[in-house]
Amino acid sequence: MAALLLGLSFRWTIGKLLVNRLAMDGIKLLKRGARNFARRFLNYGGELFSWTGYARHGANDEELPLSSWRSVAASPRDDIDKNLDKLRARSRDLYMSSSFLSSILLARRDGVVGRGLHLDASIDAERLGISAESAAEYEHKIESAFVRWSRNAGVDGESFDELVSLAYFSALLSGDCLVLVEISPSGSPRLSIIEGDLVRTPPEKSTDPRILCGVEFSARGRRIAYHCATSYEYNSDGFPVYYARKPLFMAGFNDGNTGTFLPSRGGAIHVHTAFERPGQTRGLPLCSRVLGDMKQLDRYIKAELDASVVAAKPTVFIEHPAIETEAAADVLDEYGDSDSCAAGAPSAAPLTDTAMPPIELGNGAILDLENGAKAQGFNPGRPNQAFSGFVDAMQAQIASALGLPVEVATKKFSSSYSASRAVLLDADRTYSIDRALLIRQLVRPVYNAWLDSAAGALGLTGYYTDPELRSAWRGAEWLGEKLPSIDPTKEVDAAVKRVGACLSTLSRECQELTGTDINANIRQRGFEESMMRKFDLIKDQNGIPISLSGDTAQEGL
């Protein structure tokens, strides 16, 4: 009986210990869960279910692939403005060294600006109360006068097309630039370009909260001026640096109180790449997003090129038989310091005529080696067979990130007509977006300023007195470079159908297909036909010449 009681007591004790242990483990688990809950609660701003949704995926900080990803949601000033100097320097350095980046930038410039943007004046005849014929005459007068002015639009005699092309390319390469508009004594504008590096905050105004990266803002947050330095921050000329304040450019307008027309006083026009974030102050170089990849690709291409150049030259190793100790000592005594050579260090004594000459290979050379020496070939395995595939893949990725098909960037078309046409149309979409931005930023404001000065001489009624009529006179379209022609027959047929269906105009199709002016073409064709009729070069369906006079002409007609 005692043994039975003892056994029951032992079992009770063991069971109690196990229950206590389980209870303690449960308490520990509860405490651990509470700690995890508190940690999650505090880390995620006190949100009860903060580990749901994207916290388990893209915003997950616990899984290994994302745990080392450190990112901060900073302002555009911290993300962009404070890094602009380094981005500009690296962009220009890469442009000078990388053939791929230079190809992309030149393709963008040629596609957007090309030989220049063509003015197609399109005034609103209905609002002006004039006939279509009179509107066409005015448009021709405006276009002719603008072409004459544009030949010497720059302060140094540059043409307007040259300045537009340079401003756009500078924006691609450096992120932005300033175009200064100066009003000449005759009233017409004259243009000059300032590179983006020179637009920066003066040191004495670095604490002014209204000036950011050289851009001055009003109390309401609007741009009102730019601060420009006379020299670059890193210059070797040693001249002192001065700063000038350039007000924002404004075209002419009518005074709200008196109604008097106030012509433009000039100013600065900011030409920049498309902004990426609201509140962005300055433009970014086009290649900023892919600078690291492009630099690595450039290094890889150059390394493979160097290896291929080395591999193109025969490389051999010279093997010598083992030299006995006494013989080696004699050789060392003859050609240098035996102690230093034996220690593996180069001889400190200058080379003499008795020094051992280096063994080199030349074109068709026959070399006499020492007794017992033999040549051992070396094959570096170049050119690399995987080089082309890897470079093509990286170039396609980089080109697409910069908005261009890789075929356009590398000037390599190997597909069918339909595929090549699709590639060109895709590139033209990028060109059209950039061209529209360039026209809005630079071309249209300059054109309006020029028209303000030329409206009186052109006889534009109501231009200076009525803002509505002035807006009607300023109507214009700017046509860019034509698409490369792959199949001219198909493209001309499509253009004729578009014009016939009123989906386009002869002027636009003429500019896009051939890059010429429709009015000039009509005048020239009229002259050519009159000359051909004069010399009986035009014949009817019976082969009879149609001249300008005589019965034959009447019969033929």
Side-chain angles (χ1 to χ4, degrees):
M1 188 64 179
L4 179 61
L5 293 176
L6 181 62
L8 292 175
S9 177
F10 178 77
R11 290 181 180 180
W12 171 258
T13 303
I14 295 299
K16 186 177 180 180
L17 290 175
L18 290 175
V19 170
N20 291 338
R21 181 59 182 270
L22 291 175
M24 293 177 61
D25 290 343
I27 292 174
K28 288 182 179 180
L29 290 175
L30 289 176
K31 289 182 178 180
R32 184 180 303 172
R35 285 197 301 268
N36 291 338
F37 176 81
R39 178 173 57 81
R40 293 175 182 270
F41 188 82
L42 294 176
N43 285 348
Y44 294 102
E47 297 179 8
L48 184 60
F49 298 101
S50 58
W51 58 87
T52 63
Y54 280 107
R56 301 173 56 190
H57 306 286
N60 193 322
D61 288 333
E62 296 183 356
E63 293 184 2
L64 185 59
L66 301 177
S67 60
S68 60
W69 188 351
R70 297 291 180 261
S71 58
V72 178
S75 66
R77 175 167 174 76
D78 292 326
D79 284 349
I80 297 175
D81 296 346
K82 293 183 179 180
N83 299 308
L84 268 179
D85 292 339
K86 183 174 293 186
L87 290 174
R88 287 197 199 101
R90 290 182 174 180
S91 173
R92 289 198 287 261
D93 181 75
L94 191 61
Y95 169 74
M96 291 183 282
S97 64
S98 172
S99 58
F100 185 55
L101 177 60
S102 62
S103 176
I104 290 178
L105 296 184
L106 292 175
R108 292 282 284 256
R109 184 198 64 183
D110 296 343
V112 173
V113 181
R115 292 169 292 179
L117 300 181
H118 174 74
L119 169 63
D120 183 16
S122 54
I123 61 179
D124 193 338
E126 184 176 353
R127 291 169 61 188
L128 294 171
I130 59 177
S131 63
E133 292 76 11
S134 298
E137 293 179 3
Y138 276 115
E139 290 171 354
H140 177 63
K141 289 171 59 178
I142 292 173
E143 292 170 0
S144 300
F146 181 79
V147 168
R148 290 193 297 270
W149 169 83
S150 66
R151 292 169 183 164
N152 297 281
V155 294
D156 295 325
E158 306 97 329
S159 70
F160 183 63
D161 294 333
E162 291 173 339
L163 292 170
V164 171
S165 178
L166 179 58
Y168 175 70
F169 192 77
S170 180
L172 291 178
L173 190 59
S174 302
D176 57 9
C177 68
L178 282 187
V179 177
L180 299 184
V181 182
E182 302 176 8
I183 305 302
S184 64
S186 62
S188 61
R190 287 290 178 263
L191 312 178
S192 60
I193 299 177
I194 295 181
E195 200 168 26
D197 302 59
L198 298 178
V199 182
R200 58 180 186 266
T201 304
E204 64 273 11
K205 297 184 178 181
S206 58
T207 58
D208 191 339
R210 296 194 307 162
I211 302 179
L212 301 176
C213 291
V215 183
E216 183 177 343
F217 295 87
S218 66
R220 296 184 177 181
R222 297 179 179 178
R223 298 169 183 253
I224 58 175
Y226 298 88
H227 293 263
C228 305
T230 57
S231 181
Y232 291 84
E233 188 173 359
Y234 302 100
N235 63 81
S236 58
D237 51 23
F239 296 127
V241 179
Y242 302 98
Y243 290 83
R245 183 180 182 274
K246 304 295 182 180
L248 184 69
F249 171 80
M250 292 183 63
F253 61 95
N254 289 87
D255 185 83
N257 297 324
T258 63
T260 305
F261 180 78
L262 301 177
S264 174
R265 293 175 294 178
I269 297 176
H270 191 196
V271 180
H272 55 80
T273 55
F275 283 169
E276 298 179 355
R277 298 180 60 182
Q280 187 174 335
T281 305
R282 305 288 299 275
L284 278 169
L286 180 67
C287 63
S288 299
R289 299 182 296 274
V290 293
L291 267 176
D293 294 342
M294 294 198 74
K295 185 60 179 178
Q296 290 293 82
L297 180 62
D298 184 57
R299 287 171 175 166
Y300 173 74
I301 292 175
K302 285 181 169 55
E304 286 292 337
L305 178 61
D306 292 340
S308 298
V309 171
V310 172
K313 301 177 181 179
T315 303
V316 297
F317 293 101
I318 305 300
E319 294 183 356
H320 294 273
I323 304 177
E324 299 295 336
T325 303
E326 295 182 358
D330 295 339
V331 172
L332 293 175
D333 289 340
E334 180 179 357
Y335 292 106
D337 185 1
S338 60
D339 294 334
S340 63
C341 291
S347 176
L351 294 176
T352 62
D353 294 340
T354 60
M356 182 181 296
I359 300 176
E360 298 179 353
L361 290 180
N363 296 329
I366 300 177
L367 302 177
D368 186 16
L369 301 179
E370 296 180 358
N371 292 332
K374 65 177 181 178
Q376 181 67 34
F378 171 71
N379 182 18
R382 288 297 185 276
N384 187 358
Q385 299 299 322
F387 173 79
S388 179
F390 174 75
V391 170
D392 289 346
M394 288 300 301
Q395 287 182 342
Q397 179 179 342
I398 293 172
S400 62
L402 298 182
L404 278 184
V406 67
E407 293 88 350
V408 175
T410 57
K411 303 293 190 296
K412 183 173 64 176
F413 295 87
S414 57
S415 302
S416 63
Y417 167 79
S418 300
S420 299
R421 178 69 176 173
V423 165
L424 292 177
L425 291 176
D426 183 59
D428 187 63
R429 180 172 55 181
T430 300
Y431 300 153
S432 300
I433 295 173
D434 276 16
R435 189 181 301 119
L437 182 63
L438 182 63
I439 291 171
R440 184 186 63 82
Q441 292 178 354
L442 174 62
V443 179
R444 194 178 301 280
V446 172
Y447 172 71
N448 292 341
W450 167 82
L451 197 57
D452 291 347
S453 65
L458 294 172
L460 307 184
T461 307
Y463 187 91
Y464 296 116
T465 57
D466 190 342
E468 291 295 328
L469 296 181
R470 181 165 59 251
S471 175
W473 285 115
R474 285 177 172 176
E477 293 186 7
W478 297 89
L479 306 179
E481 192 72 14
K482 67 182 185 68
L483 281 174
S485 179
I486 299 178
D487 191 334
T489 302
K490 294 181 179 179
E491 294 165 9
V492 170
D493 290 342
V496 171
K497 292 179 179 179
R498 283 195 295 267
V499 173
C502 297
L503 299 176
S504 183
T505 64
L506 285 173
S507 179
R508 175 180 291 277
E509 295 297 337
C510 185
Q511 174 64 26
E512 292 183 352
L513 286 177
T514 63
T516 57
D517 178 57
I518 183 65
N519 296 319
N521 289 351
I522 291 176
R523 289 191 297 271
Q524 182 64 24
R525 285 292 299 132
F527 171 75
E528 292 172 353
E529 287 209 12
S530 65
M531 294 298 294
M532 294 175 71
R533 288 174 181 270
K534 181 178 179 180
F535 293 99
D536 294 334
L537 297 178
I538 298 181
K539 301 180 180 180
D540 61 11
Q541 58 184 359
N542 298 321
I544 302 175
I546 302 176
S547 59
L548 291 176
S549 60
D551 297 336
T552 305
Q554 298 296 330
E555 295 175 359
L557 293 173

